[in-house]
Amino acid sequence: MKKTVLDFAKMKKSGEKISFLTCYDFPMASLCEKAGFDMLLVGDSAGMVVHGYSGTIRVTMDQMIAHSEVVRRGAPNTFIVGDMPFMSYQLSVENAVYNAGRFYKEAEVDCIKLEGGRRVAAQIKGIVDAGMSVMGHIGLTPQSSGQLGGFKAQGRTAETAVEVIKDALAVENAGAFSMLLEAVPPEIGKIITETLNIPVIGIGAGMNTDGQILIIGDMLGFFEAFTPKFVKKYTNLSEIIGKAFRDYIDEVKTGKFPEEKHCYRMLDGEHEKLEAFLKQSNVK
Ligand code: KIV
C-alpha cells in the first residue's frame, strides 16, 4: 500500500524512521519498490548522476517530468516526490504553481520538492493552496550553491544556525508537509527535528532526523565524480559492472561467448532440407 502524508506524520510521532532514496529510471524504481522504500525522490541530482552535468542548474522541467514519469511507472505503489529544477519556481508564485501542476498531471507524483526557506515561502503556500503537497529543502541547497560559496555544510556557527532554523520554521509555516535538511551539523539536525511538527528527513544532517535520504549513485557506488562526507557506499557497482563489461569483451574477442546453450537450433531435419535446397538452387 502506498504511504500518504498522514502515514509520514504518524511515523514522526511514533519514531519510525523514514527511508528515502533518489531514483531516476524504471528498472531502479522497480527494485526500490520491491525493497520497500517509504519514499522515492526524483531529484534534480539526475543532472549529475544521469546526464553528466557538473551541477543541477542545467536540468529542465521536461527532463524532470520524463524521469518522474518512468519512476512512477516502475514504482506505482511508492510515494514519489518530484524535484522542481532551477528556474521552475523562482520567477513567481503562478509559475511555481503551474510547474508543480505539471509534475502532478504529467507524472502523477505525490508531492513536489523545492529548495529554499523564507525566500520561497510564498511559492510553497501557493502550491499548497492549489491542493498539492510540498516538501521543503533547506541547509545546503545545491541550486544556489554558487551563492553559498560551493557545496559546503551550513549552520556551523551559532549565527548561521539561527538562519537555518528560521528557514525551517518558514517552510513549516508556509504549509509544507515535510522537509529535507541537507549538510548541517547533527546538533542542528536535532534542534530542527525536535522543533518542527512535520517530518524532517536528513542528508548529511546527522542521526537525529525523522528519516534519511541518499543519492542512489552514491550509495550503490556508481557515481564517481565526487563523494560527499555524508555518503555511505552500500556496494560498489562501478567495480561489479566494470568487471562484467571486461569479462564480456574478453569472451566476445576469444569466442568463449556465445556457447551452445545460448543458440536457437533449427528444428529437426530442417537444416538438411535447407542445405539440399541451397545446393539445388545454386545459391552456395
Ligand atoms: O536532487 C537531489 O537528489 C536532492 C538531494 C539532496 C537528495 O535534492
Side-chain angles (χ1 to χ4, degrees):
M1 271 272 281
K2 198 208 293 186
K3 293 205 165 64
T4 70
V5 295
L6 299 180
D7 294 310
F8 299 122
K10 274 190 213 144
M11 287 167 86
K12 175 166 182 119
K13 268 208 179 117
S14 69
E16 184 190 344
K17 299 273 188 182
I18 297 167
S19 58
F20 196 15
L21 187 69
T22 69
C23 189
Y24 322 103
D25 61 42
F26 180 89
M28 286 296 177
S30 310
L31 292 173
C32 286
E33 179 153 301
K34 273 192 206 140
F37 281 99
D38 294 314
M39 288 185 186
L40 293 176
L41 170 67
V42 186
D44 64 354
S45 49
M48 290 172 284
V49 180
V50 180
H51 297 272
Y53 302 148
S54 59
T56 56
I57 298 300
R58 287 187 56 183
V59 176
T60 66
M61 269 301 294
D62 286 344
Q63 286 171 327
M64 290 308 300
I65 296 287
H67 285 296
S68 304
E69 213 233 326
V70 293
V71 169
R72 165 51 76 216
R73 240 175 296 142
N77 300 309
T78 304
F79 189 94
I80 290 174
V81 184
D83 201 8
M84 297 194 62
F86 184 59
M87 278 301 138
S88 68
Y89 56 94
Q90 286 88 346
L91 293 179
S92 66
V93 172
E94 287 91 84
N95 185 240
V97 174
Y98 174 78
N99 282 320
R102 278 197 66 192
F103 273 100
Y104 268 69
K105 287 178 79 76
E106 296 175 45
E108 295 184 70
V109 301
D110 298 291
C111 98
I112 60 89
K113 172 171 92 57
L114 49 80
E115 294 184 8
R118 286 159 285 178
R119 67 180 173 188
V120 294
Q123 280 88 333
I124 295 176
K125 185 173 180 320
I127 296 167
V128 171
D129 286 348
M132 295 173 268
S133 302
V134 175
M135 173 181 285
H137 180 167
I138 64 160
L140 168 56
T141 44
Q143 291 173 15
S144 44
S145 57
Q147 271 185 344
L148 302 173
F151 292 92
K152 287 188 176 1
Q154 302 296 301
R156 298 183 80 184
T157 63
E159 202 184 346
T160 56
V162 169
E163 298 303 314
V164 180
I165 293 167
K166 283 184 186 166
D167 277 336
L169 290 167
V171 165
E172 177 166 271
N173 291 334
F177 84 96
S178 68
M179 200 185 65
L180 198 152
L181 181 59
E182 179 166 357
V184 298
E187 300 90 318
I188 308 307
K190 186 168 191 291
I191 291 170
I192 290 178
T193 304
E194 287 173 358
T195 304
L196 296 197
N197 294 307
I198 57 174
V200 176
I201 301 166
I203 178 162
M207 49 301 276
N208 299 304
T209 53
D210 299 308
Q212 297 291 333
I213 180 166
L214 282 176
I215 290 181
I216 192 165
D218 289 334
M219 66 87 73
L220 293 181
F222 66 81
F223 180 69
E224 295 181 305
F226 61 91
T227 305
K229 178 181 167 67
F230 54 70
V231 167
K232 177 169 176 183
K233 287 192 185 192
Y234 284 82
T235 185
N236 197 332
L237 279 195
S238 290
E239 262 173 33
I240 295 169
I241 294 172
K243 181 176 177 328
F245 286 169
R246 287 190 301 276
D247 287 352
Y248 170 61
I249 292 169
D250 186 57
E251 292 198 358
V252 169
K253 300 272 184 203
T254 57
K256 251 175 125 183
F257 174 81
E259 297 167 48
E260 181 59 36
K261 64 184 172 196
H262 304 118
C263 299
Y264 298 103
R265 285 286 173 191
M266 291 186 79
L267 301 181
D268 274 356
E270 295 298 320
H271 187 204
E272 293 75 6
K273 245 200 245 171
L274 176 66
E275 288 292 349
F277 173 78
L278 294 176
K279 216 168 162 186
Q280 196 186 26
S281 56
N282 273 336
V283 176
K284 257 169 119 182

